[in-house]
Amino acid sequence: MQNEPFFQRDGIYYVPQSSSRGPWNPQSLHGRVIAGLLGHALEDAFGDPGFVPARLTVDMYKLPGFDPVEIRTALVREGGRIKVAEAEFISGGVSMARASCQFLRITEAPAGEVHGPGNWDVPAPEDIAAPDPGTGPMGRMWATRPIQGGFGQPGKVRQVWMSEVREMVGGVPLTPFQRVAVACDFVSPFAHASSEGLTYINSDVTLYLQRLPVGEWIGFEKTDHQATLGVAVGECRLYDRQGPIGLAACAALGQRRPPPKP
């Protein structure tokens, strides 16, 4: 499965590969590939170098299996400054997820200064030793460089660099938007994992971008986790080497993993 793409194209269908497998059920897909494929299709159909895909929202209401996937896209609104498009993820003839994307036209920045987080003061990815790829809850799914606060470890600060090592669709290099679209689902485990492991499954993810990332590495910094009665919300700031690029947020439900089979 070394660097195997998540999907192979077969006519109008995207055929999931074993690398798309999710953590909750061995016969289901990972949420990150759902978000990533919807982002891929929206950018492919409606992307424009004069616009930034400033918001991608993905609702995941049914866990897809490994059936071939069809993505249906539609343009909702095309204006001079704002463009809105939708995409539907259909697996085995059943709608499993839906996404909307808002594209905003690039223009000149208004005058004045507004306070923001600025860049984070962390080591560059090449200055951090690579972890053992066979350890940890995410195994060999990404290239990572942990900065501070591990997955599920106590403490307020969690920071990590992440780089995708696979193509979303075989033979199609990842674009900057697709790279962050497939990564943004990581907000849920990074924000919600506890000392007991990952006990929340996210039902959506929303990605906000002020600009597209530069380079292969996306930085995640956990900024919030709140939960009551099994319903949680989480948020991470996102960075690249040059500074902040946006936010990722999600809603999640309390979820217990099924016991292992004998």
Side-chain angles (χ1 to χ4, degrees):
M1 200 170 69
Q2 183 68 25
N3 295 344
E4 177 187 56
F6 293 119
F7 296 91
Q8 293 287 1
R9 192 71 184 264
D10 183 9
I12 67 169
Y13 294 104
Y14 299 90
V15 181
Q17 305 301 294
S18 57
S19 53
S20 296
R21 196 177 313 279
W24 299 104
N25 184 321
Q27 301 306 316
S28 67
L29 303 186
H30 200 292
R32 65 196 293 256
V33 305
I34 300 171
L37 187 62
L38 286 165
H40 163 87
L42 284 163
E43 183 184 42
D44 185 57
F46 307 112
D48 186 314
F51 285 75
V52 172
R55 193 216 67 218
L56 173 70
T57 295
V58 179
D59 290 306
M60 296 176 280
Y61 36 82
K62 192 172 178 61
L63 203 58
F66 278 77
D67 295 307
V69 175
E70 180 185 0
I71 303 292
R72 298 176 184 173
T73 60
L75 185 63
V76 177
R77 159 74 178 173
E78 184 168 20
R81 302 177 67 193
I82 300 176
K83 180 164 54 175
V84 179
E86 294 180 342
E88 188 173 12
F89 188 105
I90 299 171
S91 173
V94 179
S95 178
M96 302 281 183
R98 184 183 297 270
S100 67
C101 189
Q102 187 178 107
F103 299 85
L104 300 183
R105 181 172 290 281
I106 297 171
T107 184
E108 294 184 4
E113 295 185 8
V114 180
H115 176 72
N119 203 355
W120 55 350
D121 184 16
V122 301
E126 63 269 16
D127 296 330
I128 304 172
D132 182 347
T135 63
M138 292 300 162
R140 305 173 187 271
M141 297 178 67
W142 302 280
T144 60
R145 298 294 185 271
I147 302 169
Q148 187 174 179
F151 185 91
Q153 292 181 1
K156 293 183 179 181
V157 180
R158 292 182 190 172
Q159 297 171 324
V160 67
W161 287 111
M162 176 187 295
S163 177
E164 184 52 67
V165 298
R166 296 180 176 87
E167 294 173 336
M168 177 55 54
V169 178
V172 182
L174 287 175
T175 66
F177 176 61
Q178 292 167 25
R179 183 171 293 280
V180 71
V182 70
C184 68
D185 183 74
F186 185 65
V187 62
S188 182
F190 205 51
H192 298 317
S194 72
S195 57
E196 299 296 320
L198 183 55
T199 55
Y200 288 94
I201 180 171
N202 58 310
S203 57
D204 84 331
V205 62
T206 292
L207 169 67
Y208 288 102
L209 292 175
Q210 54 152 324
R211 63 175 175 86
L212 292 173
V214 176
E216 297 180 356
W217 291 95
I218 306 295
F220 283 76
E221 180 177 56
K222 174 188 171 181
T223 54
D224 203 5
H225 160 79
Q226 301 176 33
T228 302
L229 299 176
V231 176
V233 293
E235 182 184 71
C236 288
R237 285 195 185 118
L238 304 181
Y239 296 83
D240 64 8
R241 291 171 176 270
Q242 298 183 2
I245 60 172
L247 303 168
C250 69
L253 293 165
Q255 179 88 348
R256 292 186 176 182
R257 294 177 184 272
K261 293 183 179 180

